[in-house]
């Protein structure tokens, strides 16, 4: 079964990021679903990364397609109390279909998470064009990379929350831990 193979690969992974990658890619390619993976995982008496992978499968169900998107959800959005966004939101631009990684629909703020695999430098012009069309429609786009999300998640949360507040969010972000620079 594909689920068993994916879980075997995840269990053999040397890092959680690699384990997550096996599960998310299998779901993204529609070879399986997070629900089926979770069911098979629950049938195993021992499973490396069980807790982390269980939480991550919920994020995949919610639309996180990559480890970068999962880290944004976990370390930026949830950890700092930002409003819940929609993920992989389909939109039409100039007759083409585009997907927004993260969309705070009510506030018309999009977050694009630029990993090297999905956003190589030679295709940067597509991202710029998509952002420009979105801006003309009133959607502000913020872009973050792996370094931003993994090494400065509190600063990213601060920037995102400031834009959300300027666009109507009445909430307040909260510190993710002791020493977090958010007020």
């Amino acid at each position: 079964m594909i689920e068993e193979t994916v879980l075997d690969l995840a269990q053999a992974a040397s890092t959680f990021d690699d384990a997550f990658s096996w599960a998310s890619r299998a779901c993204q390619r529609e070879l399986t679903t997070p629900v089926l993976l979770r069911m098979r995982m629950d049938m195993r008496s021992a499973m490396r990364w069980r807790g982390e992978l269980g939480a991550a499968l919920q994020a995949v169900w919610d639309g996180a397609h990559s480890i970068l998107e999962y880290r944004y959800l976990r370390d930026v959005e949830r950890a700092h109390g930002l409003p819940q966004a929609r993920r992989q939101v389909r939109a039409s631009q100039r007759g083409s279909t585009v997907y927004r990684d993260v969309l705070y629909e009510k506030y018309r703020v999009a977050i694009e998470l630029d990993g090297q695999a999905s956003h190589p430098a030679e295709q940067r012009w597509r991202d710029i064009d998509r952002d420009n069309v979105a801006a003309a429609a009133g959607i502000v786009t913020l872009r973050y990379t792996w370094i931003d999300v993994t090494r400065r998640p509190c600063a990213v949360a601060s920037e995102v929350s400031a834009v959300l507040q300027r666009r109507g969010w009445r909430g307040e972000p909260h510190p993710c831990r002791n020493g977090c620079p958010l007020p």
Side-chain angles (χ1 to χ4, degrees), residues 17 67-76 146 149-150:
D17 289 356
I67 189 65
L68 179 57
E69 292 177 20
Y70 174 62
R71 292 275 191 106
Y72 177 87
L73 174 64
R74 183 189 73 188
D75 299 341
V76 176
W146 176 261
V149 171
T150 61

Side-chain angles (χ1 to χ4, degrees), residues 11-25:
Q11 187 161 319
S14 59
T15 67
F16 168 72
D17 289 356
D18 291 340
F20 176 85
S21 183
W22 285 114
S24 66
R25 281 186 289 175

Side-chain angles (χ1 to χ4, degrees), residues 25-36:
R25 281 186 289 175
C27 294
Q28 190 175 4
R29 292 178 182 163
E30 298 181 354
L31 300 173
T32 188
T33 68
V35 172
L36 291 174

